[in-house]
Amino acid sequence: AIALVEMVESLEDTYLETLFLCDFQESNFGLVESNGRYVAKSIDNDLSLFRTELENALTFEMKNNCTTDDNCAYVKCLVACDRGKGKCSGKLLTNNLQVLCKVFFQPTNYLNYR
């Protein structure tokens, strides 16, 4: 668990902008031993986007009609629904740590979380 949290924290400051892992699931991660400790590695990054790329994808999603935030998700990266306009707002509601916690540490919520 600690190795996963450390990996997610590193995504905040390793690159010029945050890398969002929008496809959090157990099969997309592995653990390797390095200098006597375990290090988490992301092994499936096809749905991982830097903030700018994600915002561009969300701009496309903004054209979609919605009634709930779930209608505006980019896989597990959740975006706000502007219920007044009935359109996706493009405002990102989740970060990597929030998604990691929902998927791995609150498994009962996972069934209801994209």
Short mmCIF file of all heavy atoms in Angstrom, two decimals, residues 4-24 28-29 40-55 74 76-77 92 94-100:
data_model
loop_
_atom_site.label_atom_id
_atom_site.label_comp_id
_atom_site.label_asym_id
_atom_site.label_seq_id
_atom_site.Cartn_x
_atom_site.Cartn_y
_atom_site.Cartn_z
N LEU A 4 2.34 2.05 -3.41
CA LEU A 4 1.38 2.66 -4.34
C LEU A 4 1.19 4.14 -4.05
O LEU A 4 1.17 4.96 -4.97
CB LEU A 4 0.03 1.93 -4.27
CG LEU A 4 -0.04 0.58 -4.95
CD1 LEU A 4 -1.32 -0.14 -4.57
CD2 LEU A 4 0.07 0.73 -6.45
N VAL A 5 1.08 4.48 -2.77
CA VAL A 5 0.91 5.90 -2.40
C VAL A 5 2.17 6.69 -2.79
O VAL A 5 2.06 7.79 -3.33
CB VAL A 5 0.61 6.04 -0.90
CG1 VAL A 5 0.65 7.49 -0.47
CG2 VAL A 5 -0.75 5.41 -0.57
N GLU A 6 3.34 6.13 -2.56
CA GLU A 6 4.58 6.82 -2.95
C GLU A 6 4.65 7.02 -4.46
O GLU A 6 5.09 8.08 -4.93
CB GLU A 6 5.80 6.03 -2.46
CG GLU A 6 5.98 6.10 -0.96
CD GLU A 6 7.08 5.17 -0.46
OE1 GLU A 6 7.50 4.24 -1.19
OE2 GLU A 6 7.52 5.38 0.69
N MET A 7 4.21 6.03 -5.23
CA MET A 7 4.22 6.16 -6.69
C MET A 7 3.29 7.30 -7.11
O MET A 7 3.64 8.13 -7.94
CB MET A 7 3.80 4.86 -7.37
CG MET A 7 3.87 4.95 -8.88
SD MET A 7 2.88 3.71 -9.72
CE MET A 7 1.24 4.21 -9.27
N VAL A 8 2.10 7.33 -6.53
CA VAL A 8 1.13 8.37 -6.87
C VAL A 8 1.67 9.75 -6.50
O VAL A 8 1.55 10.70 -7.28
CB VAL A 8 -0.23 8.10 -6.17
CG1 VAL A 8 -1.12 9.31 -6.19
CG2 VAL A 8 -0.92 6.92 -6.85
N GLU A 9 2.31 9.86 -5.35
CA GLU A 9 2.90 11.13 -4.95
C GLU A 9 3.97 11.59 -5.93
O GLU A 9 4.09 12.77 -6.25
CB GLU A 9 3.49 11.03 -3.55
CG GLU A 9 2.46 11.00 -2.45
CD GLU A 9 3.08 10.84 -1.06
OE1 GLU A 9 4.26 10.42 -0.96
OE2 GLU A 9 2.37 11.13 -0.08
N SER A 10 4.74 10.64 -6.46
CA SER A 10 5.81 11.00 -7.40
C SER A 10 5.25 11.55 -8.71
O SER A 10 5.92 12.32 -9.40
CB SER A 10 6.72 9.81 -7.67
OG SER A 10 6.09 8.87 -8.51
N LEU A 11 4.02 11.17 -9.06
CA LEU A 11 3.42 11.66 -10.30
C LEU A 11 3.09 13.15 -10.21
O LEU A 11 2.91 13.81 -11.24
CB LEU A 11 2.15 10.88 -10.62
CG LEU A 11 2.36 9.40 -10.90
CD1 LEU A 11 1.01 8.70 -11.08
CD2 LEU A 11 3.25 9.18 -12.11
N GLU A 12 3.02 13.68 -9.00
CA GLU A 12 2.72 15.11 -8.81
C GLU A 12 3.92 15.99 -9.11
O GLU A 12 3.76 17.12 -9.52
CB GLU A 12 2.26 15.36 -7.36
CG GLU A 12 0.99 14.66 -6.98
CD GLU A 12 -0.23 15.24 -7.66
OE1 GLU A 12 -0.28 16.46 -7.87
OE2 GLU A 12 -1.14 14.44 -7.98
N ASP A 13 5.13 15.47 -8.89
CA ASP A 13 6.29 16.36 -9.02
C ASP A 13 7.46 15.80 -9.85
O ASP A 13 8.50 16.42 -9.92
CB ASP A 13 6.79 16.76 -7.63
CG ASP A 13 7.07 15.59 -6.72
OD1 ASP A 13 7.07 14.45 -7.19
OD2 ASP A 13 7.28 15.82 -5.52
N THR A 14 7.27 14.67 -10.49
CA THR A 14 8.34 14.11 -11.31
C THR A 14 8.42 14.80 -12.67
O THR A 14 9.49 15.00 -13.22
CB THR A 14 8.13 12.59 -11.51
OG1 THR A 14 8.17 11.96 -10.23
CG2 THR A 14 9.19 11.99 -12.39
N TYR A 15 7.29 15.19 -13.19
CA TYR A 15 7.21 15.79 -14.53
C TYR A 15 6.85 17.27 -14.41
O TYR A 15 6.53 17.75 -13.32
CB TYR A 15 6.15 15.06 -15.37
CG TYR A 15 6.39 13.57 -15.45
CD1 TYR A 15 5.62 12.68 -14.69
CD2 TYR A 15 7.38 13.05 -16.26
CE1 TYR A 15 5.85 11.31 -14.75
CE2 TYR A 15 7.61 11.68 -16.33
CZ TYR A 15 6.85 10.82 -15.56
OH TYR A 15 7.07 9.48 -15.63
N LEU A 16 6.86 17.98 -15.52
CA LEU A 16 6.49 19.39 -15.51
C LEU A 16 5.04 19.61 -15.14
O LEU A 16 4.68 20.65 -14.61
CB LEU A 16 6.78 20.03 -16.88
CG LEU A 16 8.26 20.10 -17.27
CD1 LEU A 16 8.41 20.67 -18.67
CD2 LEU A 16 9.04 20.93 -16.26
N GLU A 17 4.20 18.63 -15.44
CA GLU A 17 2.80 18.69 -15.02
C GLU A 17 2.37 17.30 -14.55
O GLU A 17 3.02 16.31 -14.86
CB GLU A 17 1.89 19.22 -16.13
CG GLU A 17 1.94 18.48 -17.43
CD GLU A 17 1.08 19.14 -18.50
OE1 GLU A 17 0.27 20.01 -18.21
OE2 GLU A 17 1.23 18.75 -19.66
N THR A 18 1.31 17.25 -13.79
CA THR A 18 0.86 15.99 -13.20
C THR A 18 0.44 14.99 -14.27
O THR A 18 -0.24 15.35 -15.23
CB THR A 18 -0.33 16.24 -12.25
OG1 THR A 18 0.09 17.14 -11.23
CG2 THR A 18 -0.82 14.97 -11.62
N LEU A 19 0.86 13.75 -14.08
CA LEU A 19 0.43 12.66 -14.93
C LEU A 19 -0.73 11.98 -14.24
O LEU A 19 -0.61 11.50 -13.11
CB LEU A 19 1.57 11.66 -15.15
CG LEU A 19 1.25 10.45 -16.01
CD1 LEU A 19 0.94 10.86 -17.46
CD2 LEU A 19 2.41 9.45 -15.99
N PHE A 20 -1.89 11.94 -14.89
CA PHE A 20 -3.08 11.32 -14.32
C PHE A 20 -3.21 9.91 -14.85
O PHE A 20 -3.21 9.69 -16.06
CB PHE A 20 -4.34 12.13 -14.69
CG PHE A 20 -4.44 13.42 -13.96
CD1 PHE A 20 -3.85 14.56 -14.46
CD2 PHE A 20 -5.11 13.49 -12.75
CE1 PHE A 20 -3.93 15.76 -13.77
CE2 PHE A 20 -5.20 14.68 -12.06
CZ PHE A 20 -4.61 15.82 -12.57
N LEU A 21 -3.32 8.95 -13.93
CA LEU A 21 -3.53 7.55 -14.29
C LEU A 21 -5.03 7.31 -14.23
O LEU A 21 -5.60 7.10 -13.17
CB LEU A 21 -2.79 6.63 -13.32
CG LEU A 21 -1.29 6.86 -13.20
CD1 LEU A 21 -0.69 5.92 -12.16
CD2 LEU A 21 -0.59 6.71 -14.53
N CYS A 22 -5.68 7.36 -15.37
CA CYS A 22 -7.14 7.30 -15.40
C CYS A 22 -7.68 5.88 -15.42
O CYS A 22 -8.89 5.69 -15.39
CB CYS A 22 -7.66 8.08 -16.61
SG CYS A 22 -7.35 9.85 -16.47
N ASP A 23 -6.81 4.89 -15.48
CA ASP A 23 -7.27 3.50 -15.53
C ASP A 23 -6.69 2.72 -14.35
O ASP A 23 -5.96 1.75 -14.52
CB ASP A 23 -6.87 2.86 -16.85
CG ASP A 23 -7.52 1.50 -17.07
OD1 ASP A 23 -8.51 1.20 -16.38
OD2 ASP A 23 -7.03 0.75 -17.92
N PHE A 24 -6.99 3.17 -13.15
CA PHE A 24 -6.53 2.48 -11.94
C PHE A 24 -7.25 1.15 -11.81
O PHE A 24 -8.47 1.09 -11.74
CB PHE A 24 -6.85 3.30 -10.69
CG PHE A 24 -5.73 4.19 -10.24
CD1 PHE A 24 -5.72 5.52 -10.59
CD2 PHE A 24 -4.71 3.68 -9.47
CE1 PHE A 24 -4.69 6.34 -10.17
CE2 PHE A 24 -3.69 4.50 -9.04
CZ PHE A 24 -3.67 5.83 -9.39
N ASN A 28 -3.00 -3.28 -13.45
CA ASN A 28 -2.16 -2.29 -14.13
C ASN A 28 -0.92 -1.89 -13.34
O ASN A 28 -0.20 -0.99 -13.74
CB ASN A 28 -2.97 -1.03 -14.44
CG ASN A 28 -3.95 -1.26 -15.55
OD1 ASN A 28 -3.95 -2.29 -16.20
ND2 ASN A 28 -4.82 -0.29 -15.78
N PHE A 29 -0.68 -2.58 -12.19
CA PHE A 29 0.45 -2.22 -11.34
C PHE A 29 1.22 -3.46 -10.95
O PHE A 29 0.68 -4.56 -10.87
CB PHE A 29 -0.04 -1.50 -10.07
CG PHE A 29 -0.72 -0.21 -10.39
CD1 PHE A 29 -2.09 -0.15 -10.54
CD2 PHE A 29 0.02 0.95 -10.58
CE1 PHE A 29 -2.72 1.03 -10.87
CE2 PHE A 29 -0.60 2.13 -10.91
CZ PHE A 29 -1.97 2.17 -11.05
N ALA A 40 6.34 0.45 -6.37
CA ALA A 40 5.22 0.19 -7.29
C ALA A 40 5.55 0.74 -8.67
O ALA A 40 6.15 1.82 -8.80
CB ALA A 40 3.95 0.84 -6.76
N LYS A 41 5.17 -0.01 -9.68
CA LYS A 41 5.36 0.40 -11.07
C LYS A 41 4.02 0.30 -11.79
O LYS A 41 3.28 -0.66 -11.64
CB LYS A 41 6.37 -0.51 -11.77
CG LYS A 41 7.74 -0.54 -11.15
CD LYS A 41 8.49 0.72 -11.42
CE LYS A 41 9.90 0.62 -10.86
NZ LYS A 41 10.69 1.78 -11.19
N SER A 42 3.74 1.32 -12.60
CA SER A 42 2.56 1.28 -13.45
C SER A 42 2.97 0.56 -14.74
O SER A 42 3.94 0.94 -15.38
CB SER A 42 2.09 2.71 -13.76
OG SER A 42 1.01 2.68 -14.65
N ILE A 43 2.24 -0.49 -15.10
CA ILE A 43 2.64 -1.29 -16.24
C ILE A 43 1.68 -1.20 -17.42
O ILE A 43 1.90 -1.80 -18.45
CB ILE A 43 2.83 -2.78 -15.83
CG1 ILE A 43 1.57 -3.35 -15.19
CG2 ILE A 43 4.02 -2.91 -14.88
CD1 ILE A 43 1.65 -4.82 -14.86
N ASP A 44 0.62 -0.42 -17.28
CA ASP A 44 -0.33 -0.22 -18.39
C ASP A 44 -0.72 1.24 -18.37
O ASP A 44 -1.54 1.67 -17.57
CB ASP A 44 -1.55 -1.12 -18.21
CG ASP A 44 -2.54 -0.99 -19.36
OD1 ASP A 44 -2.28 -0.18 -20.30
OD2 ASP A 44 -3.57 -1.66 -19.34
N ASN A 45 -0.13 2.01 -19.26
CA ASN A 45 -0.32 3.46 -19.23
C ASN A 45 -1.06 4.02 -20.44
O ASN A 45 -0.97 5.20 -20.72
CB ASN A 45 1.05 4.15 -19.11
CG ASN A 45 1.69 3.88 -17.79
OD1 ASN A 45 1.11 4.13 -16.75
ND2 ASN A 45 2.89 3.32 -17.81
N ASP A 46 -1.80 3.18 -21.13
CA ASP A 46 -2.46 3.66 -22.34
C ASP A 46 -3.54 4.70 -22.04
O ASP A 46 -3.89 5.49 -22.92
CB ASP A 46 -3.01 2.52 -23.17
CG ASP A 46 -4.07 1.70 -22.46
OD1 ASP A 46 -3.98 1.57 -21.22
OD2 ASP A 46 -4.96 1.17 -23.12
N LEU A 47 -4.06 4.76 -20.83
CA LEU A 47 -5.07 5.76 -20.47
C LEU A 47 -4.53 6.74 -19.43
O LEU A 47 -5.27 7.28 -18.62
CB LEU A 47 -6.34 5.08 -19.98
CG LEU A 47 -7.04 4.23 -21.04
CD1 LEU A 47 -8.20 3.46 -20.44
CD2 LEU A 47 -7.51 5.09 -22.19
N SER A 48 -3.21 6.96 -19.47
CA SER A 48 -2.56 7.93 -18.60
C SER A 48 -2.28 9.19 -19.41
O SER A 48 -1.75 9.11 -20.52
CB SER A 48 -1.24 7.38 -18.06
OG SER A 48 -1.49 6.21 -17.31
N LEU A 49 -2.67 10.32 -18.85
CA LEU A 49 -2.53 11.58 -19.57
C LEU A 49 -1.96 12.66 -18.67
O LEU A 49 -2.31 12.73 -17.48
CB LEU A 49 -3.89 12.06 -20.08
CG LEU A 49 -4.63 11.15 -21.06
CD1 LEU A 49 -6.05 11.65 -21.27
CD2 LEU A 49 -3.90 11.07 -22.37
N PHE A 50 -1.11 13.52 -19.24
CA PHE A 50 -0.68 14.70 -18.51
C PHE A 50 -1.86 15.67 -18.43
O PHE A 50 -2.80 15.60 -19.23
CB PHE A 50 0.51 15.37 -19.21
CG PHE A 50 1.78 14.58 -19.05
CD1 PHE A 50 2.28 13.83 -20.10
CD2 PHE A 50 2.47 14.59 -17.85
CE1 PHE A 50 3.45 13.10 -19.95
CE2 PHE A 50 3.63 13.86 -17.68
CZ PHE A 50 4.13 13.11 -18.74
N ARG A 51 -1.81 16.57 -17.45
CA ARG A 51 -2.93 17.47 -17.20
C ARG A 51 -3.42 18.15 -18.48
O ARG A 51 -4.61 18.18 -18.76
CB ARG A 51 -2.57 18.53 -16.16
CG ARG A 51 -3.70 19.53 -15.92
CD ARG A 51 -3.39 20.53 -14.84
NE ARG A 51 -3.34 19.93 -13.53
CZ ARG A 51 -4.41 19.64 -12.80
NH1 ARG A 51 -5.62 19.86 -13.26
NH2 ARG A 51 -4.28 19.11 -11.59
N THR A 52 -2.52 18.70 -19.30
CA THR A 52 -2.93 19.40 -20.52
C THR A 52 -3.67 18.47 -21.48
O THR A 52 -4.70 18.83 -22.04
CB THR A 52 -1.71 20.02 -21.22
OG1 THR A 52 -1.07 20.91 -20.30
CG2 THR A 52 -2.10 20.78 -22.47
N GLU A 53 -3.14 17.25 -21.65
CA GLU A 53 -3.78 16.28 -22.53
C GLU A 53 -5.16 15.90 -21.99
O GLU A 53 -6.12 15.77 -22.75
CB GLU A 53 -2.93 15.02 -22.66
CG GLU A 53 -1.62 15.24 -23.37
CD GLU A 53 -0.74 14.01 -23.30
OE1 GLU A 53 -0.54 13.48 -22.19
OE2 GLU A 53 -0.26 13.58 -24.36
N LEU A 54 -5.23 15.73 -20.67
CA LEU A 54 -6.51 15.37 -20.06
C LEU A 54 -7.52 16.50 -20.22
O LEU A 54 -8.68 16.26 -20.56
CB LEU A 54 -6.31 15.03 -18.57
CG LEU A 54 -7.54 14.57 -17.81
CD1 LEU A 54 -8.19 13.37 -18.48
CD2 LEU A 54 -7.17 14.24 -16.37
N GLU A 55 -7.08 17.72 -20.01
CA GLU A 55 -8.00 18.86 -20.19
C GLU A 55 -8.48 18.95 -21.64
O GLU A 55 -9.64 19.27 -21.89
CB GLU A 55 -7.33 20.15 -19.74
CG GLU A 55 -7.20 20.23 -18.23
CD GLU A 55 -6.39 21.40 -17.74
OE1 GLU A 55 -5.72 22.08 -18.55
OE2 GLU A 55 -6.40 21.63 -16.52
N TYR A 74 -13.68 10.45 -17.65
CA TYR A 74 -12.72 9.91 -18.61
C TYR A 74 -12.12 8.69 -17.91
O TYR A 74 -11.23 8.82 -17.10
CB TYR A 74 -11.66 10.94 -18.98
CG TYR A 74 -10.67 10.42 -20.00
CD1 TYR A 74 -10.99 10.41 -21.34
CD2 TYR A 74 -9.43 9.92 -19.59
CE1 TYR A 74 -10.09 9.92 -22.27
CE2 TYR A 74 -8.54 9.44 -20.52
CZ TYR A 74 -8.87 9.43 -21.86
OH TYR A 74 -7.98 8.94 -22.79
N LYS A 76 -11.56 6.59 -15.13
CA LYS A 76 -11.76 6.83 -13.70
C LYS A 76 -11.41 8.26 -13.29
O LYS A 76 -11.45 8.59 -12.11
CB LYS A 76 -10.97 5.82 -12.88
CG LYS A 76 -11.53 4.43 -12.99
CD LYS A 76 -10.81 3.45 -12.10
CE LYS A 76 -11.43 2.09 -12.16
NZ LYS A 76 -10.91 1.26 -13.22
N CYS A 77 -11.06 9.10 -14.22
CA CYS A 77 -10.82 10.52 -13.93
C CYS A 77 -12.18 11.21 -14.03
O CYS A 77 -12.75 11.34 -15.12
CB CYS A 77 -9.84 11.12 -14.93
SG CYS A 77 -8.16 10.47 -14.74
N LEU A 92 -12.01 18.94 -13.45
CA LEU A 92 -11.58 17.66 -12.91
C LEU A 92 -11.93 17.59 -11.43
O LEU A 92 -11.63 18.51 -10.66
CB LEU A 92 -10.08 17.52 -13.11
CG LEU A 92 -9.47 16.15 -12.95
CD1 LEU A 92 -10.10 15.15 -13.89
CD2 LEU A 92 -7.98 16.21 -13.19
N THR A 94 -11.29 14.65 -9.44
CA THR A 94 -10.47 13.69 -8.72
C THR A 94 -9.00 13.85 -9.05
O THR A 94 -8.64 14.33 -10.12
CB THR A 94 -10.88 12.24 -9.07
OG1 THR A 94 -10.86 12.08 -10.49
CG2 THR A 94 -12.26 11.91 -8.55
N ASN A 95 -8.17 13.43 -8.11
CA ASN A 95 -6.74 13.34 -8.37
C ASN A 95 -6.32 11.88 -8.22
O ASN A 95 -7.13 11.03 -7.84
CB ASN A 95 -5.94 14.28 -7.45
CG ASN A 95 -6.11 13.96 -5.98
OD1 ASN A 95 -6.13 12.79 -5.58
ND2 ASN A 95 -6.25 14.98 -5.16
N ASN A 96 -5.08 11.58 -8.50
CA ASN A 96 -4.61 10.20 -8.47
C ASN A 96 -4.78 9.54 -7.10
O ASN A 96 -5.17 8.38 -7.01
CB ASN A 96 -3.14 10.12 -8.90
CG ASN A 96 -2.95 10.35 -10.37
OD1 ASN A 96 -3.71 9.86 -11.19
ND2 ASN A 96 -1.92 11.09 -10.73
N LEU A 97 -4.49 10.28 -6.04
CA LEU A 97 -4.60 9.70 -4.71
C LEU A 97 -6.04 9.34 -4.36
O LEU A 97 -6.31 8.28 -3.80
CB LEU A 97 -4.01 10.65 -3.66
CG LEU A 97 -3.95 10.11 -2.24
CD1 LEU A 97 -3.13 8.82 -2.17
CD2 LEU A 97 -3.39 11.15 -1.29
N GLN A 98 -6.98 10.20 -4.73
CA GLN A 98 -8.39 9.91 -4.48
C GLN A 98 -8.84 8.65 -5.21
O GLN A 98 -9.54 7.81 -4.65
CB GLN A 98 -9.26 11.09 -4.90
CG GLN A 98 -9.10 12.30 -4.02
CD GLN A 98 -9.75 13.53 -4.61
OE1 GLN A 98 -9.65 13.78 -5.82
NE2 GLN A 98 -10.42 14.31 -3.77
N VAL A 99 -8.44 8.52 -6.46
CA VAL A 99 -8.84 7.35 -7.24
C VAL A 99 -8.17 6.09 -6.68
O VAL A 99 -8.81 5.06 -6.52
CB VAL A 99 -8.52 7.54 -8.74
CG1 VAL A 99 -8.85 6.28 -9.53
CG2 VAL A 99 -9.27 8.73 -9.30
N LEU A 100 -6.88 6.19 -6.36
CA LEU A 100 -6.17 5.06 -5.76
C LEU A 100 -6.88 4.57 -4.49
O LEU A 100 -7.12 3.38 -4.33
CB LEU A 100 -4.74 5.47 -5.41
CG LEU A 100 -3.96 4.50 -4.54
CD1 LEU A 100 -3.44 3.34 -5.36
CD2 LEU A 100 -2.83 5.19 -3.82
#
